[in-house]
Amino acid sequence: TLGGHTVALNAFDSPYFRPGPFGGWQLLGRALPNALDTVAQGDAVLVSDNFIHNIGGAVGESIVLQAPAGPLSLRIAGVTHDFLSPQGTIELSRSLYQKWWRDDQVIRTLVAVRPDVSIDTVRSAIARELGGRFHLKILLLSELVDWIVRQARQAFSGLHVLGALVLVVVLAGVADGLAAGTLERRREFGIARSVGVRRRAIGRSVTIEALLLGLLGLTLAVGLGLALGVLWVRATFPALIGWTVMLRIPWAPIGLAAAATVVVCVVAAWF
């Protein structure tokens, strides 16, 4: 715990903090000079962005960790994304963790495979030599990411059903409103026809009215939806679950909803 908050410690071997076959660290905002080298040497730590949001602190400030070997004061070298804990995560060198927490266990190991070696061959060898003894689950990084994505999508799958139901109800209401408004003006259309206005011109005016109504609704929906989305991402999610998430605008679903709205408006106007 740190300041009454339960945080996670994520310890990596020192080479993992340096650019290599496993990629590089994405640091957010300002960082100390040679931040990753400093963390690799055990002189500083990285913290997650939700750590800053929930607990506080800033790059260059020191935090005191209560380790089994005693209090440990370390500077914050940089900020990164991490979802290991909803309260916050501290990334540090594994050698530092071993020394102060007296723990040399390994939870996960990353394996770099040479280009001339088959990944399936390496996976089979690891499973044969170590898998049974240590109960290992051997995954590609892409498979691990896909698994995490599936879990997240499964957790929010109910929202898509609710969203579809709301969309159907709204579209039905738009169609019904347009059709009812048109039917109520049959006398006006009859008078217009009697003075020489062509049927096609009346139909065009009804269609334009329907499209304008649909575009007005789309403008309000997209504007309010984006505003609520930004509010949820920037404030509500961090307050409810502790994690800070990146904002991504789902343009494809927005486009599909807009197209469906236009189609319904045109069909209602045609009837």
Side-chain angles (χ1 to χ4, degrees):
T1 59
L2 180 66
H5 298 271
T6 301
V7 300
L9 298 179
N10 217 6
F12 297 96
D13 288 319
S14 297
Y16 188 67
F17 288 101
R18 299 184 174 96
F22 302 108
W25 286 78
Q26 181 185 11
L27 300 182
L28 309 175
R30 188 176 71 88
L32 294 181
N34 301 317
L36 295 177
D37 287 332
T38 306
V39 175
Q41 295 166 8
D43 297 327
V45 295
L46 301 177
V47 298
S48 61
D49 48 351
N50 66 328
F51 181 100
I52 300 296
H53 180 270
N54 294 322
I55 299 175
V59 172
E61 295 183 0
S62 295
I63 55 176
V64 179
L65 304 175
Q66 299 300 326
L72 173 62
S73 178
L74 291 167
R75 285 195 306 166
I76 299 176
V79 181
T80 187
H81 283 300
D82 197 295
F83 298 95
L84 191 60
S85 168
Q87 294 297 309
T89 303
I90 299 173
E91 320 275 3
L92 70 160
S93 168
R94 183 164 170 258
S95 59
L96 183 69
Y97 177 80
Q98 287 177 302
K99 176 182 177 181
W100 287 85
W101 275 265
R102 300 164 184 163
D103 181 7
D104 59 357
Q105 296 185 79
V106 175
I107 296 176
R108 60 187 178 273
T109 300
L110 299 179
V111 179
V113 180
R114 295 199 311 265
D116 59 335
V117 178
S118 170
I119 293 178
D120 292 334
T121 301
V122 175
R123 176 184 285 187
S124 299
I126 294 174
R128 182 176 59 255
E129 299 293 334
L130 302 172
R133 186 165 25 136
F134 295 104
H135 306 287
L136 300 180
K137 177 177 286 189
I138 307 167
L139 299 171
L140 296 175
L141 282 178
S142 58
E143 294 173 346
L144 179 61
V145 171
D146 290 341
W147 179 82
I148 295 173
V149 170
R150 285 197 304 271
Q151 298 303 309
R153 287 178 175 170
Q154 184 178 354
F156 289 95
S157 59
L159 294 180
H160 297 296
V161 177
L162 292 177
L165 290 175
V166 170
L167 180 61
V168 169
V169 171
V170 170
L171 292 180
V174 170
D176 181 70
L178 286 171
T182 303
L183 291 175
E184 290 175 354
R185 290 183 295 166
R186 283 182 301 176
R187 185 182 298 275
E188 298 175 17
F189 295 151
I191 295 173
R193 291 280 288 136
S194 67
V195 297
V197 178
R198 294 183 177 182
R199 179 184 180 89
R200 180 176 297 178
I202 294 177
R204 189 183 302 117
S205 67
V206 173
T207 303
I208 292 175
E209 179 184 352
L211 289 176
L212 289 176
L213 182 60
L215 291 175
L216 176 60
L218 284 174
T219 302
L220 292 174
V222 172
L224 292 175
L226 290 176
L228 289 174
V230 171
L231 177 64
W232 269 83
V233 169
R234 301 296 187 208
T236 307
F237 271 128
L240 287 179
I241 61 178
W243 281 312
T244 55
V245 296
M246 291 181 290
L247 179 66
R248 186 183 70 86
I249 300 175
W251 292 114
I254 290 175
L256 289 175
T261 301
V262 171
V263 168
V264 168
C265 290
V266 172
V267 170
W270 182 81
F271 277 114

